[in-house]
Amino acid sequence: MAEEDEKAEVEDRTEAQDTPQTCEGGDNAETEDCGSAEAQDTPPFDDAASNKNDAGPFGSIDVSLRSRSKHDKASAKESRADWTKAMMLVKTKIAVPQSVIGKVKLENKIGTRSSMLDSDDDMKVVALATQRALRDFGKMQAAEKSSVDLVQGGLVAENGDGIQVEIGAGLEGSFPSSDVVSFAEEKEEESRYCVHQPSFRCNKICDDEFSKVRAAFGYSERQYHAVFGLQERRKESNFYVISSKDASGKSSSFFFLSPDQRFILKSCTAKDVKTLVKIIKDYCAYVESCKGERKSSTATGAKKTESETLLPRYLGLYGLEFDDPDVPDVVVVAMTNFFGGAYAINRKFDLKGSTYQRAASEKERAKKSPVFKDLDWMEEGRRLHFPTREEMQAVRNQLQKDTKFLSDMGLIDYSLLVGIHEIDKSNLQEYEKPEALRVISVRSGNDTITYFGIVDVLTPYGKKKAAETIFMGNLVCCRDISCQRPPVYQRRFMKFCDEELLACDEKDVKDGGKEKG
């Protein structure tokens, strides 16, 4: 066992040498990396320092919530208060249901490895607790599926995907209900972990709906929990971390990324939680309604029936409540990484379809990995090129359906996140492998591979937004501001897609071979 522990620790140190450079979401305000967010944030992914003595684009790898408070106490206090408010909302106002291919390369991984943080870092404590909870949820679900009594310290097996799969050691925590797992404090002298672990509880929120969403996107429960859950005998989390300090100018969110970069856990504000819980049943039904046959990324190329929506893929919602007052209570949402593809992102855009003040500032352009906006896209003459009209029209139709759903839900401020990889023409054989991680992408000849998806969808058009529309749009500037009523926002977004975004490389024979976009 000592050799296994040593091997895991060596692996941690090796993987922590990454210089990450991909992205998941965009937002509305200026960020250090990847977009902006006035209300719903997604991580601005960029390179993080590889060790404590090596300064990255943010300086040292100071991702500690406590360290943040030393530099900016007011901001840290506000962030913690928002996370706590989200957890209180879960507890008091929300009824919790009882019920071999092109993988992400090491150099493209993003965030700081959790093992590189100080042992008492809050981020490290929360990351480990989250993985312990998701491991137990996975074991319990597998045991229930197999009708097996999962006894503390026992070994059981799950008959999944036609093979026997060992679940491993018994549960660590106790289950006061099927959707809540509780853990006792790990005493320092007796703990199996090298990270402080106070007593805490974790509850699954609306998991009946989220389990259907996971199935609609083609993720088995065993696969999902295996990616997020802590591996047996591991002494600390192997998540990658992007702190609230590094996330964005207005963001109070932090992010955990799974070791394989497929999934993200993002901390939620109370508004995020309230909106997501409010729409989850409709979201679940909509995602299921978008199922269609698509070619699998596996070596067999077999077709699978999966949801083809371009909306964020929300896969789970979890509330963590700690008895240690120094560790913040948080609610985190699990989702997929839109930029979790096999190739590095060379240029990023956050497109809303609005033109008023929608250009990257000089400050943004000076960053190591800037995020450009609508006016920049138009000025550069960019397009999302599809090889055939049929493929272009399919994406256009899906964008129309997705944004109509958001409009019907009364949601605005969403954008299309676009990441462009410039193909290395001197190494074309590198691009023969299909993507492995269900990312949404399109290849334009031997020029570019573009990843894209809709992000930042949890902003409701309420009284404050209505006032902003009237004041900013009519009384102040009468210009094409971002904030508009949901139907207007959706029509403008689609107009931008038709006029400035979608193009086809297929030549029209009737038009003398002239290419039409």
Side-chain angles (χ1 to χ4, degrees):
M1 182 175 292
E3 291 180 357
E4 292 175 343
D5 291 342
E6 183 178 352
K7 183 179 179 181
E9 290 171 6
V10 170
E11 181 190 51
D12 282 350
R13 291 194 295 271
T14 301
E15 294 189 24
Q17 302 302 316
D18 301 348
T19 52
Q21 195 192 0
T22 47
C23 182
E24 199 286 327
D27 33 23
N28 307 328
E30 289 186 358
T31 70
E32 287 294 336
D33 267 321
C34 192
S36 33
E38 294 168 355
Q40 168 70 8
D41 308 302
T42 43
F45 297 149
D46 194 6
D47 293 2
S50 60
N51 58 61
K52 296 182 181 180
N53 298 318
D54 182 17
F58 310 113
S60 64
I61 59 167
D62 173 20
V63 298
S64 170
L65 298 181
R66 291 177 183 169
S67 297
R68 175 181 170 85
S69 65
K70 295 176 183 177
H71 296 100
D72 190 352
K73 293 183 179 180
S75 178
K77 185 176 181 180
E78 182 179 351
S79 297
R80 283 170 173 261
D82 210 347
W83 300 333
T84 301
K85 186 177 180 182
M87 187 63 216
M88 290 301 295
L89 183 65
V90 170
K91 291 173 60 180
T92 60
K93 297 183 180 180
I94 295 175
V96 180
Q98 300 298 314
S99 52
V100 51
I101 307 188
K103 297 182 180 180
V104 178
K105 298 177 182 178
L106 191 64
E107 63 267 25
N108 295 338
K109 289 191 175 182
I110 58 181
T112 301
R113 192 64 182 263
S114 174
S115 59
M116 299 300 295
L117 308 181
D118 294 336
S119 60
D120 64 342
D121 192 310
D122 292 337
M123 300 290 277
K124 196 166 188 171
V125 174
V126 175
L128 177 58
T130 303
Q131 285 194 274
R132 290 172 65 198
L134 284 169
R135 177 174 65 184
D136 267 16
F137 280 135
K139 287 181 181 181
M140 178 60 76
Q141 188 170 56
E144 290 174 348
K145 180 179 178 181
S146 303
S147 300
V148 174
D149 289 330
L150 193 55
V151 183
Q152 185 86 12
L155 292 173
V156 296
E158 173 196 8
N159 188 1
D161 297 338
I163 57 175
Q164 289 292 322
V165 180
E166 186 179 282
I167 295 175
L171 299 173
E172 262 198 285
S174 59
F175 280 78
S177 70
S178 61
D179 288 330
V180 179
V181 60
S182 179
F183 294 83
E185 179 182 4
E186 290 281 321
K187 302 293 184 181
E188 183 176 352
E189 62 278 4
E190 302 172 357
S191 178
R192 72 197 77 180
Y193 303 110
C194 60
V195 179
H196 170 56
Q197 287 291 276
S199 55
F200 71 96
R201 288 156 299 286
C202 179
N203 58 304
K204 299 186 290 186
I205 304 166
C206 302
D207 201 60
D208 286 345
E209 284 75 23
F210 282 114
S211 64
K212 296 176 184 177
V213 172
R214 294 192 287 267
F217 285 123
Y219 297 109
S220 70
E221 292 299 307
R222 184 167 61 85
Q223 177 190 36
Y224 173 78
H225 288 98
V227 169
F228 273 130
L230 188 70
Q231 296 173 350
E232 301 293 345
R233 295 183 293 276
R234 183 172 286 279
K235 294 183 178 181
E236 60 183 312
S237 171
N238 58 350
F239 278 163
Y240 288 79
V241 180
I242 295 178
S243 73
S244 55
K245 171 179 176 290
D246 296 336
S248 72
K250 293 185 178 181
S251 176
S252 64
S253 299
F254 62 80
F255 308 89
F256 296 137
L257 292 99
S258 63
D260 63 2
Q261 305 279 291
R262 278 187 290 180
F263 301 123
I264 294 169
L265 285 168
K266 169 191 171 289
S267 64
C268 296
T269 66
K271 289 182 180 179
D272 295 337
V273 175
K274 187 175 181 179
T275 302
L276 187 52
V277 170
K278 181 179 179 180
I279 70 169
I280 185 58
K281 289 186 181 298
D282 292 307
Y283 172 80
C284 176
Y286 177 74
V287 166
E288 290 183 314
S289 74
C290 291
K291 283 185 178 180
E293 276 200 346
R294 59 189 302 172
K295 188 175 180 180
S296 171
S297 59
T298 62
T300 63
K303 288 188 175 182
K304 287 188 173 183
T305 302
E306 297 174 5
S307 182
E308 296 180 341
T309 179
L310 301 176
L311 293 178
R313 299 179 174 189
Y314 296 124
L315 304 177
L317 191 62
Y318 305 92
L320 290 99
E321 184 180 14
F322 295 90
D323 291 330
D324 184 343
D326 290 332
V327 181
D329 297 337
V330 296
V331 178
V332 293
V333 60
M335 52 190 176
T336 58
N337 180 2
F338 274 133
F339 284 1
Y343 308 107
I345 304 299
N346 303 124
R347 203 161 182 83
K348 307 166 190 172
F349 291 87
D350 184 77
L351 307 175
K352 289 180 175 291
S354 171
T355 56
Y356 178 61
Q357 294 186 347
R358 290 291 296 169
S361 65
E362 290 302 318
K363 180 180 178 182
E364 180 71 25
R365 292 171 183 271
K367 295 173 183 177
K368 186 172 182 178
S369 183
V371 176
F372 297 92
K373 300 181 181 179
D374 304 66
L375 292 176
D376 306 310
W377 175 274
M378 296 166 66
E379 184 178 346
E380 293 180 18
R382 296 271 183 178
R383 290 293 186 276
L384 207 58
H385 286 274
F386 292 85
T388 67
R389 274 179 213 293
E390 182 181 5
E391 292 176 70
M392 181 186 73
Q393 190 61 43
V395 169
R396 199 270 177 199
N397 292 343
Q398 193 61 56
L399 284 168
Q400 175 72 30
K401 288 174 59 179
D402 289 346
T403 54
K404 178 62 166 59
F405 169 77
L406 295 176
S407 177
D408 291 343
M409 294 293 102
L411 301 172
I412 61 168
D413 275 357
Y414 49 86
S415 56
L416 188 73
L417 186 68
V418 178
I420 300 172
H421 171 77
E422 304 289 346
I423 292 177
D424 180 3
K425 294 181 175 62
S426 65
N427 189 24
L428 292 178
Q429 65 272 19
E430 177 68 19
Y431 300 93
E432 294 176 358
K433 296 178 180 179
E435 293 280 1
L437 302 182
R438 296 192 181 98
V439 290
I440 303 166
S441 64
V442 61
R443 177 170 175 170
S444 178
N446 290 330
D447 296 321
T448 61
I449 294 175
T450 305
Y451 301 92
F452 59 96
I454 299 173
V455 297
D456 302 340
V457 303
L458 296 182
T459 302
Y461 188 77
K463 293 180 179 179
K464 289 185 178 180
K465 287 294 182 180
E468 181 182 341
T469 302
I470 296 172
F471 183 73
M472 292 295 293
N474 298 327
L475 302 182
V476 177
C477 55
C478 297
R479 296 181 183 177
D480 186 27
I481 64 168
S482 176
C483 185
Q484 298 287 346
R485 292 185 298 107
V488 177
Y489 192 99
Q490 190 247 352
R491 287 196 298 270
R492 183 185 62 189
F493 182 90
M494 288 307 304
K495 184 173 185 287
F496 182 87
C497 290
D498 289 334
E499 297 179 357
E500 304 291 344
L501 181 72
L502 303 174
C504 178
D505 292 334
E506 189 177 53
K507 294 181 179 180
D508 193 332
V509 177
K510 294 182 181 180
D511 198 27
K514 183 179 178 181
E515 188 176 301
K516 296 180 71 176

